[in-house]
């Protein structure tokens, strides 16, 4: 069935807005070429978008040639303000950006290990409010929060987890109560995968991959055919619970001691470095062959399990260990993985490093804002 005129206009407008978002300011001629629409249709949609306050003239092109210059159209960046929060066990980092994703202000705050849940949540909300004020954002449109733990796929609420601070859940509730904004919450490893898909290690040529997060804790995110897969209970990628050889026992429903986490978490990597006579603070950057080989042996066990079940073709090493180990560690894991699995699996290092979670959160907030604002 052919689309109605109003539906066709909405589709064309959204396509043009996405192009302006991804490519930057464009002329009407460039929009015509990229969309394949007729010149009158492009002229009509540009006028609609200007009238709605979503697009404005940002300059002219063609100043270097003879003849009239063409107007450059761009998205009105301050039409909406966004915020991203990276919530860790003992800290929170906030970024406030415009509709184009340009960072306007950012700040971080340590949260004491023994901090009471209510005051800790209030401190985090106050940090966001101060940062938004510094950015000149009188009102936030969309806020995305990246936090460790499981997110209920039905309610999109952060589930109660014994090992995670109670103030995390209090924070989500406080944000929703105090801000006139859409508040989204997502597992932080999933957000890192979104960022690597759209801006990082997988952007150029991979829409199917698994991201291994190697930090204080261990996790994974699954991206298949360009879509993040969360699982039936939101637990897809809880690879820290994977039973593996070389550990003290088996994990349980209450803890991942004995699972892959015991081999690959930051504490385990530090212990491995000390066992090789290295300073844990610099071991990953030293290029020490025996240490990197031993670590690659461990990481390849988890990667082999992922390859056997999902055959993603690509694994991205992220988190502190993946970032610091870089391409050299990734190459060693890939070589070891080739010995463990008949499935060809490329292993890459993160290209976004410590910024991945916040970038993924900003992309999520931006998508939400655009879905609400774009016709």
């Amino acid at each position: 069935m052919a689309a109605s005129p109003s539906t066709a206009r909405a589709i064309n407008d959204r396509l043009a807005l996405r192009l302006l978002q991804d490519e930057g300011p464009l002329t009407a001629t460039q929009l015509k070429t990229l969309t394949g629409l007729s010149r009158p249709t492009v002229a009509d949609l540009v006028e609609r978008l200007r009238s709605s306050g979503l697009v404005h003239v940002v300059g002219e092109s063609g100043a270097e040639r003879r003849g009239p210059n063409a107007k450059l159209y761009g998205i009105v960046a301050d039409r909406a303000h966004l915020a991203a929060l990276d919530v860790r066990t003992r800290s929170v980092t906030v970024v406030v950006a415009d509709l184009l994703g340009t960072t306007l202000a950012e700040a971080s705050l340590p949260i004491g290990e023994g901090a009471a849940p209510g005051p800790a949540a209030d401190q985090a909300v106050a940090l966001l409010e101060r940062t938004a004020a510094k950015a000149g954002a009188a009102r936030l449109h969309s806020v995305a929060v990246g936090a460790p733990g499981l997110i209920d796929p039905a309610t999109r609420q952060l589930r109660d987890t014994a090992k995670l601070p109670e103030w995390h859940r209090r924070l989500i509730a406080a944000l929703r109560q105090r801000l006139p904004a859409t508040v989204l919450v997502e597992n932080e490893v999933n957000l890192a995968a979104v960022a690597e898909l759209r801006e990082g290690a997988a952007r150029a040529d991979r829409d199917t991959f698994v991201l291994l997060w190697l930090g204080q804790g261990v996790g994974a995110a699954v991206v298949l055919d360009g879509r993040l897969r969360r699982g039936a209970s939101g637990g897809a990628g809880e690879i820290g619970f994977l039973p593996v050889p070389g550990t003290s026992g088996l994990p349980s429903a209450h803890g991942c001691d004995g699972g892959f986490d015991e081999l690959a978490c930051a504490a385990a990597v530090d212990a491995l470095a000390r066992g090789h006579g290295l300073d844990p603070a610099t071991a990953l950057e030293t290029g020490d062959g025996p240490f990197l080989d031993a670590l690659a042996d461990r990481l390849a066990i988890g990667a082999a399990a992922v390859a056997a079940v999902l055959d993603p073709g690509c694994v991205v090493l992220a988190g502190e260990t993946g970032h610091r180990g870089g391409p050299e560690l990734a190459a060693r894991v890939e070589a070891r993985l080739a010995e463990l699995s008949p499935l060809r699996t490329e292993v890459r290092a993160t290209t976004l490093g410590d910024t991945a979670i916040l970038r993924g959160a900003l992309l999520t907030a931006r998508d939400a804002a655009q879905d609400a604002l774009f016709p």
Side-chain angles (χ1 to χ4, degrees):
M1 184 186 304
S4 67
S6 61
T7 300
R9 286 193 294 270
I11 293 172
N12 292 339
D13 290 356
R14 182 175 284 269
L15 174 59
L17 286 164
R18 291 295 181 186
L19 287 170
L20 291 169
Q21 177 75 73
D22 295 339
E23 305 295 332
L26 298 169
T27 65
T29 298
Q30 289 171 324
L31 282 171
K32 174 183 177 296
T33 301
L34 292 170
T35 61
L37 299 172
S38 67
R39 188 175 299 277
T41 300
V42 169
D44 288 343
L45 75 82
V46 167
E47 184 56 38
R48 281 196 303 274
L49 296 177
R50 290 186 66 182
S51 299
S52 66
L54 291 171
V55 166
H56 62 165
V57 177
V58 297
E60 294 183 340
S61 70
E64 70 285 353
R65 59 176 173 78
R66 294 181 179 180
N69 296 337
K71 294 179 180 177
L72 277 170
Y73 299 99
I75 288 177
V76 179
D78 61 0
R79 176 65 186 270
H81 288 100
L82 322 169
L85 284 78
D86 180 1
V87 179
R88 304 295 178 96
T89 304
R90 299 179 186 176
S91 68
V92 60
T93 301
V94 172
V95 168
V96 176
D98 61 23
L99 190 55
L100 289 172
T102 303
T103 296
L104 303 176
E106 57 187 309
S108 296
L109 179 72
I111 304 290
E113 184 175 4
D122 289 341
Q123 289 179 50
V125 175
L127 177 70
L128 174 58
E129 292 172 337
R130 291 195 303 271
T131 308
K134 181 180 179 181
R139 178 189 177 97
L140 292 172
H141 184 283
S142 300
V143 177
V145 183
L150 297 176
I151 311 298
D152 188 297
T155 64
R156 304 306 302 157
Q157 300 282 348
L158 187 63
R159 290 170 54 178
D160 188 13
T161 305
K163 288 193 174 182
L164 295 175
E166 170 62 22
W167 69 266
H168 285 190
R169 298 179 74 240
R170 294 281 190 95
L171 171 60
I172 304 303
L175 289 170
R176 287 173 171 157
Q177 290 171 0
R178 292 168 55 174
L179 297 180
T182 298
V183 178
L184 310 164
V185 59
E186 181 60 88
N187 175 269
E188 90 277 34
V189 179
N190 285 346
L191 290 178
V194 168
E196 296 289 354
L197 172 67
R198 293 170 59 176
E199 299 183 344
R203 178 181 180 179
D205 58 353
R206 292 286 185 179
D207 65 357
T208 294
F209 67 97
V210 169
L211 180 139
L212 284 185
W213 184 266
L214 307 166
Q216 296 300 316
V218 174
V222 179
V223 177
L224 303 178
D225 300 322
R227 293 182 56 195
L228 185 66
R229 308 290 178 159
R230 298 180 178 87
S233 62
E238 287 295 321
I239 198 171
F241 288 88
L242 179 73
V244 294
T247 61
S248 60
L250 291 173
S252 72
H254 307 291
C256 50
D257 295 341
F260 182 59
D261 182 87
E262 189 174 307
L263 292 182
C265 70
V269 175
D270 288 351
L272 182 65
R274 285 191 291 269
H276 282 77
L278 302 173
D279 180 356
T282 59
L284 284 162
E285 292 85 4
T286 61
D288 182 83
F291 165 67
L292 290 177
D293 285 339
L295 179 56
D297 286 346
R298 293 185 176 194
L299 300 183
I301 293 174
V306 165
V309 175
L310 294 174
D311 187 19
C314 180
V315 170
V316 176
L317 303 184
E320 182 182 5
T321 298
H323 179 44
R324 291 172 55 204
E328 185 170 356
L329 177 61
R332 291 170 188 261
V333 174
E334 181 176 323
R336 185 69 178 107
L337 180 55
E339 299 173 359
L340 298 178
S341 172
L343 304 175
R344 176 73 175 92
T345 306
E346 182 182 7
V347 180
R348 299 178 178 180
T350 172
T351 61
L352 298 176
D354 295 339
T355 68
I357 295 173
L358 282 172
R359 288 305 307 165
L362 271 182
L363 288 167
T364 299
R366 193 178 76 184
D367 288 348
Q370 291 175 349
D371 286 343
L373 294 173
F374 290 3

